[in-house]
Amino acid sequence: TFADTQRLNPDIEGTFTYFRFVTESAIFRFNKELEVLTSVSSFLADTNCSKGSCLFNERTCQNGLLMGAICKGDADCGGSVCSSLDRFALLGSSSVTHFSIDSKDYIIAANYWDGESTAVPSSLFEFNSSSGEVFLLQRIKTHGARRWKFVSLVQQPFLVVANCLGPAILYPWNASASLLQTENAAVLDTPFCQSSIDSFQVNNATYLLVASYADTSSGSRSVDSYLLKLGLAVDDNVVAFGDGTHIQMQRLLGQGAAIVQQTFQTRAAVDVKHFVIGEDRFVVFAGGEQGIPSSVYRADAASDPPIFTHHQDLNTSEVTSLHFTELGAPYLIVSQQGSESVMYRFNGLHFFVDFSENVLPKDTAAGQRIQVSNVQAVITFKVTTIAANAEEYLLVGRFADSESTKGALLLKAQHDRIEGMDGPISIQMNADHVYVASLHSRSLLVFDRNPDSGRLILNPSASYLTNWTLRPLTDGSPAGDGFRPPISWGYPLHGVQHILFSPDQLHLYAASSFDNAVAVFDCDPVTGKLTLKQVLSNGMEDSGKTVFGLMGARDMSISADGGSLYVSSWRDKGVALLGRAVDGSISFVDAIVEGTRLIYSFVDTIQNSVPTPDGSFWSTDT
């Protein structure tokens, strides 16, 4: 550079050359025991190249004395093999697609750019799912390929590729050779730069969704995206569709053809995703520019052919990809280039991430903002772990812009079935935990709290559940004469009304109106776990006194010095005074109830003398 200006020195002369920086692509296996991904193979291992016998974009001699020399044919290698094999089977790949045919697994990579040109062939591999190895089978000529999709036309296998700098092409599959039939490929009428494709079937008819990013001739990004109906060529001008219909077309080239079923007005669409939720069929086009929303279209899942209408716009920006999953509820994950990606939840009517006027009352959770920057794509998968738990994971692929953001992230789904929170009536919290008392469940639930977002996650091991919470009594269960001890009715939380922290937050007090009691719990400052320490109930003996004033215990308050706990009781119409020890335990001191005559002092209202038998007075003054 010149004078530390980070500019090239104009006085330096040399030969112009290219530099290519290659990042390895690999296949990972999920370790169930450790819950981590480990690399099992690399796409660099798909050839027989050795000792420099393969050069980028060149044919080379594969063995013998001339191994590694550039050649045009076997004759140039002195009897050795002249091959175009090279280590660069993945060149600026936009995506990879897995599919299976006849119990064999395949991976096809959409190669977009090799650092110099977008006229880059895509690569087809056979994939050994046991070893994780891949074997290069075929290279297919593509032009800025963005995505491949496996489809079935009239029960015959095809693969279609979306090209940004060329039309989409439909290739029939040669089952005997396990290769694509490039000579019988059908060119589809897709005039714009295609960024992505998706497919679905209705009554055996195959439909292809095409997301258009821009018009490459004019540069405009406000272009139509398409819904195409794919068919199989019966002869030179008749196309058959999977639903049994036929149409006549102009002379066909290749085994497949397509008709435009519907167009969508989109801008810079970078991805498209189709999915069905209940009786609704959805299509989402992702807006790839800053401030451009992603558009949701809906159709009746039973309609044939499907007719989509605009349903909702999602507030997204610079989207890179879309992913749909059902993790207990339908979610649409939108990957974005900015500081966060968004997981939208479907509430039966709309997709949302934060609570709004569209959130139905039955919903107890919204979506999630995933605080990961520069996300390019995500996938979800479910695995039965060593512990026999069905766990769900989210793999986040991100574009590295610094040491802190390089690599992919593996996130584990956290979802809870909240039970034991019927009739929440009182709540206490500290920095890391939230405690909820539930009247009807007769329980104390503990939630771990994220201090930054405020989100709550149920902590079952820290919660306190009574016998009633786990197995409520009914007229028919359990069988017997009907008499059950207090413990069966949720003691000491039968009729819990109020919970209160001690000043140091190491103890939690619970007032229960049916048990006529105050329960004391120890609180672990780290885990938040509740442990029952003591129960003080009406009528029991405590330090030589009979406890009273706790009938219908309702509310509590602690004195400023922390030494006294006051309890209001609605059935006793009173207030009980309990002493507090340093360890959080309580003891009965006294109580006042309505109707009690209070003698709070003796007042001297007479003179200081008493009468004598003879009528005189004795002085009591001293």
Side-chain angles (χ1 to χ4, degrees), residues 244-264:
T245 60
H246 294 72
I247 65 169
Q248 287 189 341
M249 300 182 65
Q250 295 180 354
R251 181 173 176 80
L252 300 171
L253 297 175
Q255 292 187 6
I259 58 173
V260 177
Q261 189 70 40
Q262 186 176 350
T263 60
F264 304 87

Side-chain angles (χ1 to χ4, degrees), residues 390-409:
E391 301 289 356
E392 292 152 336
Y393 301 87
L394 174 67
L395 183 60
V396 181
R398 54 184 177 171
F399 185 82
D401 62 355
S402 67
E403 285 295 319
S404 61
T405 62
K406 67 180 183 180
L409 292 177

Side-chain angles (χ1 to χ4, degrees), residues 227-246:
L227 173 64
L228 305 179
K229 186 177 182 180
L230 301 182
L232 185 66
V234 177
D235 53 35
D236 287 347
N237 58 3
V238 176
V239 177
F241 298 95
D243 55 7
T245 60
H246 294 72

Side-chain angles (χ1 to χ4, degrees), residues 194-235:
Q194 308 121 57
S195 57
S196 187
I197 51 178
D198 202 1
S199 68
F200 62 93
Q201 287 192 331
V202 177
N203 293 333
N204 295 321
T206 300
Y207 293 87
L208 182 71
L209 286 157
V210 180
S212 300
Y213 181 75
D215 184 340
T216 54
S217 59
S218 67
S220 174
R221 296 183 181 180
S222 295
V223 293
D224 288 340
S225 295
Y226 298 95
L227 173 64
L228 305 179
K229 186 177 182 180
L230 301 182
L232 185 66
V234 177
D235 53 35

Side-chain angles (χ1 to χ4, degrees), residues 1-12:
T1 58
F2 179 68
D4 295 328
T5 62
Q6 296 185 347
R7 297 180 180 180
L8 294 178
N9 189 333
D11 296 331
I12 295 178

Side-chain angles (χ1 to χ4, degrees), residues 271-286:
D271 199 4
V272 61
K273 194 62 63 180
H274 163 271
F275 48 88
V276 175
I277 304 175
E279 297 179 353
D280 295 318
R281 188 184 301 278
F282 291 94
V283 168
V284 184
F285 290 96

Side-chain angles (χ1 to χ4, degrees), residues 49-62:
C49 299
S50 62
K51 298 180 181 179
S53 62
C54 300
L55 299 178
F56 175 76
N57 214 26
E58 295 284 358
R59 294 169 62 87
T60 59
C61 300
Q62 296 300 299

